[in-house]
Amino acid sequence: MEAKAIARHIRVTPMKARRVVNLVRGKQTNEALAILKFAPQAASEPVFKVVASAVANARAAADREGVAFNEDELFISEAFVDEGPTMKRFQPRAQGRAYQIKKRTSHITVVVATPKKGGE
């Protein structure tokens, strides 16, 4: 069983978000949430929310299908960060010049799954 969660247009640069996502890729969801809760990076908060949302989506899918659900079995099968639209701002500089500031955004995607059984 798989469940997915996506957070779009998050105001954190994709490079910084990827550092955080790399910490939890492939881990059990409970362990990943514990890591993200205490990670010092600012990007860990939105990633935490996406992982928690993916777990909730898995619970809802299991209820809908009438399948037994065990949260302890879930692990992060896929996690990646794509670049979103960049907001361009200008800051005045010396002698009438302007300096461009790029405020980057990210799309964070997390897929959680239960391990495959031998016969499947």
Side-chain angles (χ1 to χ4, degrees), residues 5-109:
I6 303 171
R8 301 184 73 223
H9 307 290
I10 303 298
R11 268 290 292 123
V12 64
T13 66
M15 228 173 158
K16 291 176 182 178
R18 282 186 193 114
R19 280 182 56 205
V20 175
V21 167
N22 290 340
L23 292 173
V24 297
R25 189 179 289 118
K27 296 215 176 356
Q28 296 285 329
T29 54
N30 293 338
E31 184 185 352
L33 290 171
I35 290 169
L36 291 170
K37 189 170 190 155
F38 298 106
Q41 293 88 355
S44 62
E45 183 186 346
V47 174
F48 179 92
K49 286 183 177 182
V50 176
V51 172
S53 178
V55 171
N57 291 345
R59 184 179 297 115
D63 288 346
R64 197 170 39 248
E65 296 172 13
V67 180
F69 179 74
N70 185 2
E71 194 175 309
D72 297 333
E73 288 181 1
L74 285 177
F75 73 100
I76 299 174
S77 60
E78 276 184 74
F80 54 91
V81 178
D82 294 323
E83 192 166 335
T86 301
M87 297 186 290
K88 294 180 175 109
R89 302 291 182 261
F90 291 92
Q91 183 173 15
R93 302 302 281 191
Q95 297 179 1
R97 293 182 176 88
Y99 176 75
Q100 188 177 29
I101 297 172
K102 293 179 180 164
K103 296 184 177 242
R104 299 180 188 273
T105 62
S106 303
H107 300 324
I108 303 168
T109 305

